[in-house]
Amino acid sequence: MKILICDKTEKEYIEQIRAAGLTVDVRDDITAEELPNVLPAYDGMVVRSRTKVRQPLIDVCPNLKVIVRGGVGLDTIDHEYARSKGIEVINTPLASSASVAELAIGYMFALARSLYKVTSSMKAERWDKKLFEGDEISGKMLGIIGYGNIGKETAKRALALGMKVIAYDPYVSSLNGVKLVTFDELLAQSDYISLHVPKTKETANMIGSEQFARMKNSVRIINCSRGGIINEDALYEALTSGKVAGAALDVFSEEPPTNWKLLKLDNVIGSPHIGASTKEAQARVGAEVAAKLIEFAKSMQTA
Ligand SMILES: NC(=O)c1ccc[n+]([C@@H]2O[C@H](COP(=O)([O-])OP(=O)(O)OC[C@H]3O[C@@H](n4cnc5c(N)ncnc54)[C@H](O)[C@@H]3O)[C@@H](O)[C@H]2O)c1
């Protein structure tokens, strides 16, 4: 099988794939314009979040048998269409859960103690001791929207820190000690809301002005899932009116954003989609990509 690696993948795992007898070419800077000319010669491709695989690309690659996405979200791939064409679409659902959960928890501490503002004040050589009274996260109610792999990892850590945890997820029934509530109950009861849903038609803009109105005053919001799940204009309004005390955003409706107004607010902290960017998660992603690709190639030989 001939595989095209389209995004950054650690060398060690590329070598594992080669050692299993697959032919691998690395074009980890390939552009969207080049792909339709290059990809038709391959049986499989490995992508991260940079390379998008849309229907027109799939249509010009009749030989493509497998798309391996290193990471969780399949919103960068027209996966249902690919599967309808007989292409296997594989992701690495567990590899980055702990890293994303740790970022969400880190953001809760940063919001509770205004660590970003404290740090800039110190860098400006000020000793604003009286300005920065924060609050403890222990004893506060965390509402988790989407109780999948990352939601669960976040809940586990929050419970260990003494938080109370509730979750909203219409597709799960067992929550291992965490109370399952309705969407409205979650909005009304949470001091912190952390989003961990996939981006779908149903979840796009699931938090807008109507939902902000139903939240507690001074709620804090963390989004390490996907941009566009929170309506950014409504969030801007809620942050400037004081309804929302603070927001931490790892993801944006446009990445990188062309409009940075949210990030300019004093009560917003952000990062450039780095939830899975840890050495540990990257190694797990690489190992899982190699293992799954090799397993797929073997299944093709025996089929
Ligand atoms: N920031 C990052 O770098 C980063 C890294 C990895 C994953 N993510 C994102 O984090 C999100 C969660 O990932 P995961 O691995 O936990 O996925 P997962 O599939 O394990 O969990 C998602 C959960 O959301 C639930 N869900 C679906 N629609 C819902 C809805 N309308 N309302 C409430 N719940 C709903 C599902 O039932 C599922 O339990 C995804 O959007 C993923 O793309 C971000």
Side-chain angles (χ1 to χ4, degrees):
M1 278 184 76
K2 271 187 83 178
I3 306 296
L4 185 67
I5 308 264
C6 304
D7 288 324
K8 277 241 153 318
T9 305
E10 289 183 19
K11 262 199 188 124
E12 179 186 347
Y13 304 108
I14 296 174
E15 289 317 316
Q16 280 182 15
I17 301 168
R18 287 197 174 116
L22 284 78
T23 304
V24 181
D25 290 330
V26 180
R27 291 282 310 270
D28 55 17
D29 55 357
I30 194 159
T31 63
E33 291 70 36
E34 288 170 315
L35 263 173
N37 299 320
V38 177
L39 191 62
Y42 291 86
D43 305 296
M45 71 192 301
V46 173
V47 296
R48 302 298 305 272
S49 53
R50 188 190 71 96
T51 298
K52 314 283 183 279
V53 190
R54 300 294 174 212
Q55 190 169 331
L57 178 64
I58 295 168
D59 283 339
V60 296
C61 299
N63 299 325
L64 198 64
K65 295 174 188 68
V66 62
I67 303 169
V68 184
R69 152 91 167 100
V72 181
L74 289 178
D75 48 330
T76 49
I77 300 172
D78 285 344
H79 55 99
E80 281 170 17
Y81 184 72
R83 286 182 178 127
S84 79
K85 296 275 163 191
I87 300 168
E88 183 98 0
V89 182
I90 298 171
N91 63 348
T92 60
L94 293 172
S96 52
S97 307
S99 294
V100 183
E102 286 190 10
L103 181 64
I105 296 284
Y107 266 148
M108 273 185 254
F109 281 118
L111 290 171
R113 304 303 292 267
S114 300
L115 292 181
Y116 47 106
K117 285 191 220 162
V118 179
T119 304
S120 22
S121 154
M122 291 293 280
K123 282 182 191 292
E125 301 181 11
R126 288 199 305 267
W127 192 258
D128 292 330
K129 192 171 162 72
K130 293 216 171 75
L131 277 185
F132 293 114
E133 187 184 62
D135 33 51
E136 295 180 348
I137 66 167
S138 143
K140 301 296 184 305
M141 180 68 84
L142 167 64
I144 294 184
I145 302 182
Y147 202 68
N149 295 319
I150 300 172
K152 284 189 191 118
E153 289 295 322
T154 306
K156 199 161 78 182
R157 287 160 176 77
L159 288 168
L161 291 166
M163 297 186 87
K164 294 176 276 182
V165 183
I166 51 178
Y168 166 66
D169 189 325
Y171 304 106
V172 299
S173 47
S174 141
L175 292 173
N176 302 335
V178 167
K179 193 175 166 208
L180 183 65
V181 295
T182 63
F183 191 34
D184 277 350
E185 285 167 339
L186 185 138
L187 297 177
Q189 293 173 22
S190 303
D191 301 302
Y192 289 81
I193 294 178
S194 193
L195 290 154
H196 299 289
V197 286
K199 176 101 177 265
T200 63
K201 282 191 194 112
E202 204 186 8
T203 62
N205 289 309
M206 79 187 284
I207 307 283
S209 358
E210 233 181 82
Q211 289 69 35
F212 285 122
R214 284 187 256 148
M215 293 177 193
K216 276 189 176 178
N217 290 332
S218 300
V219 62
R220 292 179 173 122
I221 298 191
I222 296 104
N223 188 8
C224 293
S225 62
R226 279 291 181 269
I229 290 169
I230 303 180
N231 180 295
E232 290 177 352
D233 290 330
L235 177 60
Y236 186 88
E237 279 298 313
L239 283 157
T240 45
S241 72
K243 175 76 192 181
V244 172
L249 308 170
D250 185 47
V251 288
F252 300 86
S253 53
E254 235 188 314
E255 294 183 359
T258 44
N259 184 342
W260 295 83
K261 68 174 185 177
L262 262 178
L263 271 305
K264 300 241 158 78
L265 292 177
D266 237 14
N267 47 357
V268 172
I269 46 179
S271 44
H273 203 144
I274 55 162
S277 300
T278 62
K279 291 180 195 71
E280 293 82 358
Q282 292 311 301
R284 283 193 295 265
V285 166
E288 210 174 321
V289 162
K292 288 189 164 169
L293 195 50
I294 293 166
E295 191 183 303
F296 177 81
K298 279 188 187 148
S299 74
M300 293 294 289
Q301 277 165 5
T302 51

